[in-house]
Each structure stands twice: as C-alpha cells, then as structure tokens.
Amino acid sequence: MREDYIETEYKPKPDELVCEYYMEPADGVSFEKACNHMAGESSIDTWSDISTLSPEKAQELKPHVFSIDKERGVVKVAYKQDLFEIDSVPQILSAIAGNIMSMKLVKNLRLEDIAFPKDVLNSFRGPKYGLNGVRDLFGVYDRPLVGTIVKPKVGLSSEKHADVAYKSFVGGCDIVKDDENLTNQKFNAFDKRVKITLDAKEKAEKETGERKMYLCNITAPTCEEMLRRAEVINDLGGKYVMIDIITAGWSALQSLREATEDMDIAIHAHRCMHSVMTRNPRHGVNMVALAKLTRLIGHDQLHIGTVVGKMHGDKDEVLSLRDECALDYMPANDQLHILEQDWGNIKPMMPVASGGLEPGMIPDLYNMFGKDVIMQFGAGIHAHPMGTEAGATACRQSVEAALENITLEEYASNHKELQSALEKWG
Ligand SMILES: O=C(COP(=O)(O)O)[C@H](O)[C@H](O)COP(=O)(O)O
Ligand SMILES: [Mg+2]
C-alpha cells in the first residue's frame, strides 16, 4: 500500500468525484493509516506494496484524501474520473462503498455523500418526468398528492386487490400502489392484477373526473422479466411502474430507465431494505447518497420518510432527503455531511412520505413538506372505521383543511369521515 494518499492542501479538480465518509479507525490503528488504506483500497491499491503499480500510473490515478477531521471522524476524498466507468452506478459503488466497508483497519465506516462532477451527471438520463412531470400526469398543482398502498400487503386475490384499489380511488386517492412485497404470487399474479386494477382505475377516473395512477410493482427475478412487466403496463396504457430499488439492484434500475426512455412510463422508487445500509449512523451508506444515485439514474419519485410515522429518520435527515430530491442546487451543509451539488439538467424527483401515517398527521406533514410531496397511507386508509373509501375521503378532507389553514377539529365538525378518523387515532 502506497503511503501518499493524504494531501490536506489538495484542492479537488472540478471533474473529480468527491466522497465524504464518517470513519472510526480500528483500535491501535492511526486515523491517518486508516484514511490512507481507505483511499488506496477504494481505487488502485491493496494491503502491501505491489511492484506492478508504477509510480507514473499511481500519479495518474491516485485519489487524494484532502480533508481530515479526526474529532468528528470526517474524511473527504477526491477521486479521478478515470477510476470509474462513469455511467455505471454498480461500478462506482463497488469502488467507493465496496471493500473499504470490510477492512479490519476500520471499526466503522459510512459513506455520507457523493458529489458528482458534470461529466458523471451528463452520463445519466435522470428522471423522465420528474417532480413537475408527475404533476402534469395528474393535472394537480396546488396540493400534495394522496396515495394508498393496498393492504393487506399480500394475500388478496387480484379481484379483491382491484376492488380495494377502486374504493381507494373513488374515495379520493390520486395514487394506489402495490406493497413492496407484492409482485407475482400465486394468489395475485402480476399479469392478471395489472389488467383488472388498471380497469378499476379507469372506472374510478370516469366516476370522479380526476386522473388516477396505479403503481404496479414490477420487481422480478430477472431484468428480462422486470422489463417484460414494464412493457405489459405500457401496452395497457398504464403510466407508472413501481420498483424496489435496493432488492432489484442498480443494474436493474439502469436497465429499467433505459427501457422507459421509449415508453410513457414514470418510475416510483420504493426503498425497502435500505435500512440494512442506512440506519446505523456510524457504518454503511447514508440514505442521502442512495437518493442521489436514484435521482441520477432517473426515477420520478422516491420514499424519503415522514419524521412523524412508523419508520426511522429524524427531521434533519428527512428534510435533507427532500431537498436532495427536489432542489436543482443543493448547498453544502457540513454539520449534516451534505456536499454541494449542482444538478445541472437532472430533473428533480417528487418526494414520497409514507409509513405509519393517518389523516390526522397531514397538517404536520404539510407544514414540513409543503405541497410538493406524495403522502401515502396504508393502514391510515384501510383501518378507517368506516372503511377504505371513507379513509381516502378523510385524507382528502384533511388536505383541504391544511390548505385552508382550518383546524382538523373544526373541519371535521361537518365532515364525518375525518371526524371518524380523529376519533380513532386522536
Ligand atoms: O407500506 C408502507 C406503509 O404502509 P402503512 O401506511 O400502513 O404504514 C410502506 O412500505 C412504507 O412506507 C415504507 O417505508 P418508507 O417509506 O420509510 O421506505
Ligand atoms: Mg409497504
């Protein structure tokens, strides 16, 4: 292993990819040694001094550890573009979040953020629709969008699934989605579910006069099958697919985005399993980095957490995720380990708040997120005392109250569905 990766006077070049890490060296290992090995192992080097790495090649490709803060355990590394296949998320992650996570020399290591140079941004399509295109799909511009997840998560027949979707749509949902673990089970096969649920959506559109979207989960055993499922939806006139981004994998996501360039399909990114990497603040990968990669590849909307619901994610994290989805320019925030990012021509994504939500939480969500958010309610609709349709209606009533800045109690006094929700979940 070379010993010259640390250069704290070095100024990253505009065309370099910069990473910020949180690092704890292993006991008895100096911070500098751990930094040096991390930079080498993530790029051109390995544990001993290899004769096959010429000084010239090392000079040409070596990364620079240009910032070290031992007190906070923060390390910043500038990587030369030539180290990467710059349009491949799998390869980029294999470098900057691969072997180094396993090194004995570190006790903990977390990839906090990645700042992409222009050439990398220009190697990706980014969202096809993005936040504003999603609004155009619905023709709704002045309020948050309301969605539901059909519950139970799995178990319903395709017919029953479509019926729950229909009731959710006519009750007021803009969006009905599959749950993350519903794909192609025997009791609810993909090809049958998508057809009859899209029919139910169209029926609800005619009855309500509102545009509705069904987000069918195309997560599949192979890329070929995933893409076939996307084609089926496209051929049926569906406008959305949903994909489980972590379990499907980064190559699948890039293949999907290439395919949707020739379809009229928006992509909803579910992040189940992200917590394997993102939950531990001292080891793994920050959800911010995963969100940026999802936007780079080109998904139109992404789950970012709720602060008030059932899943982990504090306000700083969730609002940073919202900003990374929705802003064209993300300012650096040293305290939150956020690197500056100018997104150039990469469109913003629509943030999705979901997980443990019920109608009574909407004013707080609206105060936090404003109108540019999709609020999703699973049990918050399907556990409503008056049933699914009333649960959806209660959500729309709560949105109306928030927009008009009327207290829920006052609004509920002449809106029984909201009243019933407040009584149940207080
Ligand atoms: O099905 C749900 C929520 O159902 P419910 O509304 O019944 O809790 C989603 O999978 C979670 O929101 C995922 O969490 P996250 O959005 O944090 O990834
Ligand atoms: Mg779910």
Side-chain angles (χ1 to χ4, degrees):
M1 178 66 71
R2 296 175 61 89
E3 294 181 356
D4 62 350
Y5 294 111
I6 297 175
E7 231 180 284
T8 48
E9 299 312 309
Y10 181 79
K11 293 281 172 275
K13 305 279 188 301
D15 67 350
E16 291 185 313
L17 185 142
V18 174
C19 289
E20 176 166 333
Y21 294 91
Y22 168 78
M23 185 179 70
E24 292 173 24
D27 296 344
V29 176
S30 74
F31 200 86
E32 288 76 7
K33 179 172 182 181
C35 287
N36 196 65
H37 274 256
M38 191 234 325
E41 183 66 44
S42 58
S43 58
I44 55 176
D45 215 332
T46 185
W47 63 277
S48 189
D49 51 340
I50 47 178
S51 61
T52 46
L53 175 58
S54 70
E56 296 73 25
K57 186 52 73 181
Q59 207 49 46
E60 178 196 329
L61 287 176
K62 81 180 178 106
H64 293 84
V65 178
F66 66 91
S67 171
I68 290 182
D69 178 339
K70 287 188 201 176
E71 294 310 306
R72 295 176 61 222
V74 173
V75 186
K76 295 180 185 177
V77 186
Y79 292 93
K80 290 193 168 54
Q81 250 186 62
D82 285 353
L83 287 165
F84 304 104
E85 182 179 2
I86 61 171
D87 63 348
S88 170
V89 168
Q91 187 276 336
I92 292 171
L93 283 175
S94 294
I96 64 175
N99 282 2
I100 55 175
M101 295 290 166
S102 315
M103 294 191 314
K104 286 181 181 170
L105 287 171
V106 297
K107 191 189 305 172
N108 283 298
L109 180 64
R110 189 192 208 211
L111 171 61
E112 295 285 7
D113 197 359
I114 315 164
F116 304 112
K118 213 178 276 305
D119 290 348
V120 172
L121 291 180
N122 294 339
S123 304
F124 288 87
R125 293 186 187 280
K128 181 180 175 96
Y129 293 84
L131 190 154
N132 299 313
V134 165
R135 285 212 171 277
D136 291 340
L137 281 173
F138 290 91
V140 173
Y141 300 93
D142 59 351
R143 62 172 173 82
L145 293 165
V146 171
T148 191
I149 310 101
V150 174
K151 302 286 180 180
K153 300 171 79 108
V154 294
L156 298 180
S157 66
S158 302
E159 291 80 2
K160 190 73 186 98
H161 179 98
D163 180 52
V164 172
Y166 170 74
K167 291 188 170 80
S168 305
F169 281 132
V170 295
C173 283
D174 304 295
I175 289 169
V176 171
K177 65 179 281 293
D178 290 349
D179 226 325
E180 68 279 357
N181 56 336
L182 177 65
T183 52
N184 186 42
Q185 283 89 331
K186 287 190 291 295
F187 47 77
N188 193 347
F190 170 85
D191 288 87
K192 183 175 181 186
R193 174 171 81 253
V194 67
K195 173 83 179 69
I196 62 177
T197 308
L198 283 173
D199 291 346
K201 173 197 76 84
E202 279 158 31
K203 183 168 181 276
E205 284 181 322
K206 288 192 184 80
E207 290 172 9
T208 61
E210 292 184 344
R211 274 182 240 165
K212 306 290 184 181
M213 296 291 161
Y214 169 46
L215 284 48
C216 191
N217 191 353
I218 62 167
T219 306
T222 63
C223 266
E224 292 71 22
E225 176 57 16
M226 173 196 73
L227 296 176
R228 185 195 71 81
R229 294 178 186 178
E231 287 287 358
V232 167
I233 293 171
N234 193 49
D235 293 347
L236 288 170
K239 288 278 178 286
Y240 262 95
V241 297
M242 164 189 163
I243 186 81
D244 297 338
I245 59 172
I246 304 299
T247 52
W250 300 102
S251 292
L253 303 187
Q254 292 197 234
S255 302
L256 174 60
R257 179 63 186 93
E258 284 311 301
T260 61
E261 190 60 8
D262 303 322
M263 300 182 195
D264 296 325
I265 289 280
I267 306 174
H268 176 97
H270 196 291
R271 60 175 184 169
C272 60
M273 196 178 162
H274 75 90
S275 292
V276 164
M277 293 178 266
T278 62
R279 184 160 194 176
N280 180 342
R282 297 165 64 183
H283 186 81
V285 181
N286 192 321
M287 181 65 211
V288 161
L290 299 183
K292 289 178 74 170
L293 291 165
T294 305
R295 177 173 177 179
L296 190 64
I297 291 172
H299 289 42
D300 297 289
Q301 51 202 59
L302 170 69
H303 289 234
I304 63 164
T306 66
V307 183
V308 296
K310 74 184 182 186
M311 304 293 197
H312 74 88
D314 66 17
K315 193 165 184 179
D316 280 342
E317 176 190 323
V318 173
L319 291 183
S320 300
L321 284 168
R322 187 276 312 271
D323 291 346
E324 286 290 6
C325 289
L327 298 182
D328 290 327
Y329 170 76
M330 185 75 176
N333 181 323
D334 207 41
Q335 202 46 44
L336 296 180
H337 303 294
I338 301 281
L339 296 170
E340 178 185 32
Q341 183 71 63
D342 179 339
W343 282 96
N345 299 324
I346 299 284
K347 291 177 186 167
M349 293 190 287
M350 178 67 86
V352 178
S354 177
L357 298 181
E358 48 85 7
M361 296 173 173
I362 288 176
D364 285 347
L365 293 165
Y366 181 63
N367 288 336
M368 252 190 308
F369 295 117
K371 67 178 177 63
D372 283 340
V373 64
I374 294 169
M375 299 178 183
Q376 287 182 177
F377 306 82
I381 283 180
H382 307 298
H384 188 283
M386 297 162 65
T388 289
E389 188 172 335
T393 302
C395 288
R396 288 289 293 270
Q397 290 167 349
S398 189
V399 167
E400 284 313 307
L403 288 175
E404 291 167 28
N405 202 18
I406 299 171
T407 67
L408 294 186
E409 290 64 29
E410 189 184 340
Y411 202 88
S413 60
N414 56 355
H415 293 87
K416 62 183 186 308
E417 296 83 357
L418 182 55
Q419 183 60 42
S420 171
L422 297 182
E423 282 162 8
K424 171 157 188 171
W425 290 301

